Amino acid sequence: LWNNLARRGNRSCSASEGLAIAKKIYSQAFERIEELRQPYETVVEINVNNLPNPAVVERWTSDDFVSTLRHDQSNPRLNVDFRQLVHIAFRIAAEIGEEFIEGLQNARGVIEQNVTDNLYARHVQPLFLGK
């Protein structure tokens, strides 16, 4: 979901608009990390020393953001701490409300394709179809 919002949208939501929303959520989550991880403290480990500063993330391209976030262990840019923080930042997304919802709606086609690819190709096929 976050990968897709950061990557691109359709005509109504350019790649830069989706990326701006993703960066905004990360920046606010970075500032509120203790609050956000408290309900998950027994299952989520985030090393704050491994998190990029929001000022650095602000300069990232969509490829930078997605490479750091996407669970691809062959990618040296993957940052599991960044990934965990973004995953527990749904409260921030809810708080920005309509801006986030519009971003999702505008990037719907990309999101649907990538969620299908992720769930089916990366999870269902290997587990149940042996592929």
Side-chain angles (χ1 to χ4, degrees):
L1 177 72
W2 299 103
N3 296 334
N4 301 310
L5 188 60
R7 177 140 340 253
R8 68 180 73 81
N10 68 15
R11 285 173 269 129
S12 305
C13 178
S14 70
S16 62
E17 289 169 319
L19 179 59
I21 294 168
K23 288 176 179 180
K24 178 179 185 175
I25 292 169
Y26 175 75
S27 179
Q28 290 183 27
F30 185 88
E31 298 301 322
R32 294 169 56 187
I33 187 170
E34 293 307 320
E35 168 199 345
L36 295 172
R37 74 175 168 183
Q38 186 177 15
Y40 306 100
E41 63 189 357
T42 60
V43 294
V44 172
E45 291 184 33
I46 301 173
N47 182 338
V48 294
N49 296 320
N50 293 336
L51 293 172
N53 187 290
V56 171
V57 174
E58 188 58 38
R59 295 188 301 271
W60 284 0
T61 66
S62 61
D63 285 337
D64 293 331
F65 196 99
V66 171
S67 293
T68 305
L69 179 65
R70 182 169 285 168
H71 191 217
D72 175 1
Q73 293 178 342
S74 69
N75 187 338
R77 297 270 331 248
L78 171 63
N79 180 323
V80 294
D81 298 295
F82 178 83
R83 180 175 171 77
Q84 287 289 342
L85 180 56
V86 170
H87 273 79
I88 64 171
F90 62 88
R91 178 180 290 175
I92 307 288
E95 289 172 359
I96 65 172
E98 196 59 35
E99 179 184 9
F100 182 71
I101 298 298
E102 284 181 26
L104 291 177
Q105 290 170 337
N106 293 332
R108 182 178 177 171
V110 174
I111 291 169
E112 288 174 348
Q113 181 61 51
N114 282 291
V115 168
T116 299
D117 291 346
N118 182 48
L119 291 176
Y120 183 70
R122 294 184 69 202
H123 295 87
V124 172
Q125 282 184 324
L127 289 173
F128 299 106
L129 303 176
K131 294 182 180 184

Tab-separated table of all heavy atoms in Angstrom, residues 2 5 20-30 86 89-90 92-93 96 100:
chain	number	residue	atom	x	y	z
A	2	TRP	N	1.792	1.348	0.967
A	2	TRP	CA	2.644	2.540	1.066
A	2	TRP	C	3.540	2.651	-0.150
A	2	TRP	O	3.792	3.745	-0.640
A	2	TRP	CB	3.497	2.478	2.329
A	2	TRP	CG	2.681	2.442	3.564
A	2	TRP	CD1	2.430	1.351	4.337
A	2	TRP	CD2	1.982	3.518	4.160
A	2	TRP	NE1	1.621	1.702	5.380
A	2	TRP	CE2	1.338	3.025	5.305
A	2	TRP	CE3	1.845	4.869	3.840
A	2	TRP	CZ2	0.574	3.824	6.127
A	2	TRP	CZ3	1.088	5.655	4.669
A	2	TRP	CH2	0.455	5.138	5.789
A	5	LEU	N	1.472	4.165	-2.931
A	5	LEU	CA	1.169	5.580	-2.727
A	5	LEU	C	2.415	6.413	-3.007
A	5	LEU	O	2.343	7.467	-3.629
A	5	LEU	CB	0.672	5.815	-1.301
A	5	LEU	CG	0.150	7.211	-0.993
A	5	LEU	CD1	-1.035	7.549	-1.900
A	5	LEU	CD2	-0.260	7.309	0.460
A	20	ALA	N	4.562	12.772	-1.580
A	20	ALA	CA	4.456	13.799	-0.539
A	20	ALA	C	3.612	13.311	0.635
A	20	ALA	O	3.949	13.562	1.796
A	20	ALA	CB	3.880	15.090	-1.130
A	21	ILE	N	2.537	12.591	0.348
A	21	ILE	CA	1.698	12.042	1.414
A	21	ILE	C	2.492	11.015	2.219
A	21	ILE	O	2.480	11.028	3.452
A	21	ILE	CB	0.412	11.413	0.834
A	21	ILE	CG1	-0.479	12.496	0.209
A	21	ILE	CG2	-0.347	10.637	1.917
A	21	ILE	CD1	-1.623	11.950	-0.633
A	22	ALA	N	3.191	10.122	1.541
A	22	ALA	CA	3.986	9.099	2.222
A	22	ALA	C	5.072	9.739	3.092
A	22	ALA	O	5.300	9.314	4.236
A	22	ALA	CB	4.598	8.144	1.201
A	23	LYS	N	5.726	10.762	2.572
A	23	LYS	CA	6.769	11.458	3.345
A	23	LYS	C	6.172	12.167	4.563
A	23	LYS	O	6.770	12.185	5.639
A	23	LYS	CB	7.494	12.476	2.464
A	23	LYS	CG	8.408	11.851	1.439
A	23	LYS	CD	9.005	12.933	0.550
A	23	LYS	CE	9.951	12.389	-0.480
A	23	LYS	NZ	10.512	13.463	-1.336
A	24	LYS	N	5.007	12.763	4.387
A	24	LYS	CA	4.336	13.456	5.492
A	24	LYS	C	4.010	12.471	6.608
A	24	LYS	O	4.238	12.759	7.791
A	24	LYS	CB	3.050	14.119	4.965
A	24	LYS	CG	2.232	14.834	5.995
A	24	LYS	CD	1.011	15.463	5.320
A	24	LYS	CE	0.199	16.296	6.278
A	24	LYS	NZ	-0.907	16.980	5.576
A	25	ILE	N	3.501	11.317	6.243
A	25	ILE	CA	3.168	10.300	7.237
A	25	ILE	C	4.426	9.831	7.950
A	25	ILE	O	4.449	9.714	9.175
A	25	ILE	CB	2.403	9.128	6.582
A	25	ILE	CG1	1.017	9.610	6.137
A	25	ILE	CG2	2.319	7.929	7.520
A	25	ILE	CD1	0.271	8.638	5.245
A	26	TYR	N	5.497	9.584	7.190
A	26	TYR	CA	6.744	9.143	7.824
A	26	TYR	C	7.272	10.201	8.787
A	26	TYR	O	7.654	9.885	9.919
A	26	TYR	CB	7.816	8.803	6.788
A	26	TYR	CG	9.124	8.461	7.467
A	26	TYR	CD1	9.291	7.240	8.096
A	26	TYR	CD2	10.157	9.386	7.536
A	26	TYR	CE1	10.470	6.934	8.766
A	26	TYR	CE2	11.338	9.092	8.205
A	26	TYR	CZ	11.492	7.870	8.822
A	26	TYR	OH	12.652	7.575	9.496
A	27	SER	N	7.284	11.440	8.362
A	27	SER	CA	7.815	12.516	9.193
A	27	SER	C	7.047	12.622	10.515
A	27	SER	O	7.650	12.738	11.588
A	27	SER	CB	7.753	13.844	8.438
A	27	SER	OG	8.230	14.895	9.234
A	28	GLN	N	5.733	12.570	10.442
A	28	GLN	CA	4.934	12.648	11.659
A	28	GLN	C	5.120	11.403	12.520
A	28	GLN	O	5.169	11.498	13.754
A	28	GLN	CB	3.463	12.855	11.306
A	28	GLN	CG	3.199	14.235	10.741
A	28	GLN	CD	1.733	14.479	10.448
A	28	GLN	OE1	0.851	13.888	11.065
A	28	GLN	NE2	1.460	15.357	9.504
A	29	ALA	N	5.238	10.245	11.891
A	29	ALA	CA	5.460	9.005	12.638
A	29	ALA	C	6.810	9.035	13.342
A	29	ALA	O	6.932	8.572	14.486
A	29	ALA	CB	5.366	7.801	11.705
A	30	PHE	N	7.810	9.568	12.691
A	30	PHE	CA	9.145	9.685	13.280
A	30	PHE	C	9.085	10.492	14.569
A	30	PHE	O	9.698	10.128	15.575
A	30	PHE	CB	10.090	10.340	12.263
A	30	PHE	CG	11.517	10.416	12.708
A	30	PHE	CD1	12.398	9.373	12.457
A	30	PHE	CD2	11.989	11.550	13.361
A	30	PHE	CE1	13.728	9.455	12.854
A	30	PHE	CE2	13.317	11.642	13.767
A	30	PHE	CZ	14.187	10.588	13.513
A	86	VAL	N	6.710	2.692	9.334
A	86	VAL	CA	5.668	3.034	8.362
A	86	VAL	C	4.444	2.134	8.561
A	86	VAL	O	3.307	2.592	8.470
A	86	VAL	CB	6.215	2.963	6.921
A	86	VAL	CG1	5.104	3.076	5.904
A	86	VAL	CG2	7.247	4.073	6.699
A	89	ALA	N	2.219	3.326	11.337
A	89	ALA	CA	1.838	4.739	11.195
A	89	ALA	C	0.430	4.933	10.646
A	89	ALA	O	0.061	6.036	10.269
A	89	ALA	CB	2.851	5.452	10.299
A	90	PHE	N	-0.371	3.875	10.637
A	90	PHE	CA	-1.723	4.012	10.090
A	90	PHE	C	-2.559	5.032	10.864
A	90	PHE	O	-3.458	5.646	10.309
A	90	PHE	CB	-2.435	2.658	10.019
A	90	PHE	CG	-2.640	1.993	11.345
A	90	PHE	CD1	-3.773	2.261	12.084
A	90	PHE	CD2	-1.705	1.105	11.841
A	90	PHE	CE1	-3.969	1.656	13.315
A	90	PHE	CE2	-1.891	0.486	13.061
A	90	PHE	CZ	-3.024	0.766	13.809
A	92	ILE	N	-1.517	7.912	11.832
A	92	ILE	CA	-1.213	9.192	11.175
A	92	ILE	C	-2.034	9.309	9.895
A	92	ILE	O	-2.625	10.352	9.615
A	92	ILE	CB	0.294	9.319	10.853
A	92	ILE	CG1	1.163	9.065	12.078
A	92	ILE	CG2	0.598	10.641	10.175
A	92	ILE	CD1	1.152	10.116	13.126
A	93	ALA	N	-2.062	8.225	9.122
A	93	ALA	CA	-2.847	8.235	7.882
A	93	ALA	C	-4.308	8.545	8.182
A	93	ALA	O	-4.937	9.339	7.479
A	93	ALA	CB	-2.706	6.893	7.163
A	96	ILE	N	-4.791	12.303	8.952
A	96	ILE	CA	-4.786	13.244	7.823
A	96	ILE	C	-5.985	13.006	6.917
A	96	ILE	O	-6.241	13.782	6.007
A	96	ILE	CB	-3.455	13.267	7.045
A	96	ILE	CG1	-3.160	11.944	6.356
A	96	ILE	CG2	-2.310	13.675	7.951
A	96	ILE	CD1	-1.958	12.004	5.440
A	100	PHE	N	-5.314	11.445	2.647
A	100	PHE	CA	-4.855	10.071	2.483
A	100	PHE	C	-5.847	9.266	1.644
A	100	PHE	O	-5.451	8.540	0.723
A	100	PHE	CB	-4.652	9.415	3.857
A	100	PHE	CG	-4.138	8.008	3.774
A	100	PHE	CD1	-2.829	7.749	3.381
A	100	PHE	CD2	-4.952	6.947	4.103
A	100	PHE	CE1	-2.356	6.447	3.308
A	100	PHE	CE2	-4.486	5.644	4.041
A	100	PHE	CZ	-3.186	5.395	3.640
